[in-house]
């Protein structure tokens, strides 16, 4: 029997769940250890992070990708610690050598939604900055891409700043780092929309010199311009009735 993600606790190893892979990325620790990390979501919309350590990456990595539905059986759960958390779940799934992963048919009744954060809550510093957030807004300003080492114009040294505005005209400054900065500029060159909607997923909230700034976090953060999703259509409808100048926080 498959359990719900919300019910997962480290009381046994024989859990069995069916989840969608919302996000999958590789990372390397400061000590040089590689890992494959994921954000998984069950059909009720409950999310949990999962991790595959370096010795098991080659066994599982090619078996699935972003957007796939998978079943998982026999894994352990560890308490989540650290400054940046991708979900609200208290625990993280860790793969074992005995973990079984199978692809399964897509489920049409997934209740996952984007759950974007309020710009005003960000500006007023009302959010718990431990958690990564999602945002939707119009791109209202974008700077040229910069490289921390001009002699090495590669993604690892890239950075770009831009601003996004919500339906109430509140504006947030954002900073994309690494290959996400280059991805943003590539997508920007392709867009043909007069008002470009930007969707940020799993970005960090920081306070810099008294001002709130949204910044990408490693390879976890995602950025899409004018994606085909219900939340973007809803945002365009809400913002079409809004007029007035942009609002900033001093």
């Amino acid at each position: 029997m498959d359990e719900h993600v919300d019910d997962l606790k480290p009381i046994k190893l024989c859990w069995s769940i069916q989840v969608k892979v919302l996000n999958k990325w590789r990372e390397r620790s400061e000590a040089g250890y590689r890992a494959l990390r994921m954000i998984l979501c069950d059909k009720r919309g409950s999310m949990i992070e999962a991790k595959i350590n370096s010795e098991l990456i080659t066994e599982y990595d090619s078996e699935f990708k972003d957007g796939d539905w998978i079943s998982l059986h026999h894994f352990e759960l560890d308490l989540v610690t650290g400054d940046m958390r991708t979900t609200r779940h208290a625990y993280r799934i860790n793969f074992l050598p005995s973990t079984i992963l199978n692809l399964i048919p897509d489920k049409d009744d997934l209740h996952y939604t984007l759950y974007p954060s309020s710009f005003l809550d960000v500006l007023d510093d009302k959010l718990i900055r431990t958690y990564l957030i999602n945002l939707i807004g119009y791109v209202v300003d974008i700077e040229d891409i910069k490289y921390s080492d001009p002699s090495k114009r590669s993604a690892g040294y890239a950075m770009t700043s831009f601003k996004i505005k919500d339906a109430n005209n509140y504006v947030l400054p954002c900073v994309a780092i690494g290959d996400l900065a280059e991805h943003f500029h590539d997508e920007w060159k392709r867009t043909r929309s007069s008002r470009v909607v930007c969707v940020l997923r799993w970005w960090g909230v920081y306070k810099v010199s008294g001002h709130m700034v949204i910044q990408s976090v490693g390879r976890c953060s995602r950025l899409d311009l004018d994606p085909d999703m219900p939340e973007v259509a809803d945002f365009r409808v809400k913002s079409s009735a809004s007029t007035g100048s942009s609002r900033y926080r001093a």
Side-chain angles (χ1 to χ4, degrees), residues 68-127:
D68 283 344
W69 276 91
I70 60 175
S71 66
L72 285 180
H73 179 72
H74 201 270
F75 50 83
E76 65 179 2
L77 292 158
D78 289 337
L79 193 67
V80 177
T81 58
D83 295 334
M84 288 296 174
R85 297 178 58 172
T86 58
T87 79
R88 297 274 172 166
H89 206 291
Y91 298 100
R92 175 191 293 116
I93 291 173
N94 278 331
F95 278 49
L96 301 168
S98 55
T99 297
I100 299 171
L101 182 153
N102 291 308
L103 292 175
I104 59 174
D106 292 354
K107 296 181 180 293
D108 295 331
D109 56 346
L110 173 65
H111 295 306
Y112 166 74
T113 59
L114 187 65
Y115 301 120
S117 295
S118 160
F119 278 41
L120 189 56
D121 284 348
V122 175
L123 291 166
D124 288 341
D125 199 9
K126 291 183 177 180
L127 302 181

Side-chain angles (χ1 to χ4, degrees), residues 2-61:
D2 292 304
E3 284 91 4
H4 296 300
V5 162
D6 284 341
D7 297 330
L8 298 180
K9 295 179 177 63
I11 57 175
K12 62 179 183 178
L13 293 176
C14 55
W15 294 107
S16 180
I17 59 171
Q18 294 186 350
V19 287
K20 183 176 183 178
V21 182
L22 299 182
N23 194 356
K24 172 187 174 184
W25 72 98
R26 285 175 178 260
E27 69 174 20
R28 188 181 295 272
S29 70
E30 293 183 0
Y33 296 109
R34 295 184 303 127
L36 186 66
R37 292 176 61 182
M38 297 153 281
I39 299 171
L40 308 175
C41 180
D42 67 16
K43 66 179 183 180
R44 298 196 307 178
S46 299
M47 288 176 278
I48 189 170
E49 186 178 302
K51 184 177 181 180
I52 302 176
N53 289 320
S54 57
E55 65 273 12
L56 297 175
I57 289 178
T58 55
E59 181 176 346
Y60 292 101
D61 190 16

Side-chain angles (χ1 to χ4, degrees), residues 8-250:
L8 298 180
K9 295 179 177 63
I11 57 175
K12 62 179 183 178
L13 293 176
C14 55
W15 294 107
S16 180
I17 59 171
Q18 294 186 350
V19 287
K20 183 176 183 178
V21 182
L22 299 182
N23 194 356
K24 172 187 174 184
W25 72 98
R26 285 175 178 260
E27 69 174 20
R28 188 181 295 272
S29 70
E30 293 183 0
Y33 296 109
R34 295 184 303 127
L36 186 66
R37 292 176 61 182
M38 297 153 281
I39 299 171
L40 308 175
C41 180
D42 67 16
K43 66 179 183 180
R44 298 196 307 178
S46 299
M47 288 176 278
I48 189 170
E49 186 178 302
K51 184 177 181 180
I52 302 176
N53 289 320
S54 57
E55 65 273 12
L56 297 175
I57 289 178
T58 55
E59 181 176 346
Y60 292 101
D61 190 16
S62 62
E63 298 299 314
F64 66 102
K65 61 184 185 302
D66 278 13
D68 283 344
W69 276 91
I70 60 175
S71 66
L72 285 180
H73 179 72
H74 201 270
F75 50 83
E76 65 179 2
L77 292 158
D78 289 337
L79 193 67
V80 177
T81 58
D83 295 334
M84 288 296 174
R85 297 178 58 172
T86 58
T87 79
R88 297 274 172 166
H89 206 291
Y91 298 100
R92 175 191 293 116
I93 291 173
N94 278 331
F95 278 49
L96 301 168
S98 55
T99 297
I100 299 171
L101 182 153
N102 291 308
L103 292 175
I104 59 174
D106 292 354
K107 296 181 180 293
D108 295 331
D109 56 346
L110 173 65
H111 295 306
Y112 166 74
T113 59
L114 187 65
Y115 301 120
S117 295
S118 160
F119 278 41
L120 189 56
D121 284 348
V122 175
L123 291 166
D124 288 341
D125 199 9
K126 291 183 177 180
L127 302 181
I128 301 174
R129 281 182 255 150
T130 299
Y131 297 101
L132 304 185
I133 66 169
N134 303 327
L135 293 167
I136 299 180
Y138 287 115
V139 180
V140 293
D141 189 18
I142 178 172
E143 296 182 4
D144 291 336
I145 195 166
K146 300 175 182 177
Y147 294 89
S148 57
D149 186 342
S151 66
K152 299 178 180 178
R153 298 175 65 84
S154 61
Y157 298 91
M159 182 187 77
T160 192
S161 299
F162 59 99
K163 294 183 177 70
I164 57 174
K165 180 170 68 173
D166 71 359
N168 296 311
N169 296 312
Y170 287 105
V171 175
L172 283 172
C174 307
V175 179
I177 296 175
D179 54 3
L180 198 60
E182 292 196 336
H183 167 74
F184 181 31
H185 274 265
D186 289 343
E187 291 297 304
W188 182 257
K189 291 175 184 176
R190 296 190 188 101
T191 185
R192 295 293 181 268
S193 174
S194 58
R195 300 185 75 190
V196 179
V197 177
C198 181
V199 175
L200 306 180
R201 291 182 290 172
W202 302 294
W203 284 55
V205 181
Y206 299 87
K207 196 167 190 176
V208 181
S209 301
H211 298 277
M212 306 309 296
V213 177
I214 308 302
Q215 183 173 302
S216 62
V217 179
R219 294 184 176 274
C220 170
S221 299
R222 296 288 183 265
L223 180 153
D224 295 291
L225 299 183
D226 288 334
D228 182 13
M229 54 194 310
E231 291 87 351
V232 171
D234 291 343
F235 173 77
R236 286 190 180 278
V237 171
K238 292 176 182 177
S239 60
S240 64
S242 176
T243 58
S245 59
S246 301
R247 304 177 185 180
Y248 298 83
R249 278 287 190 268

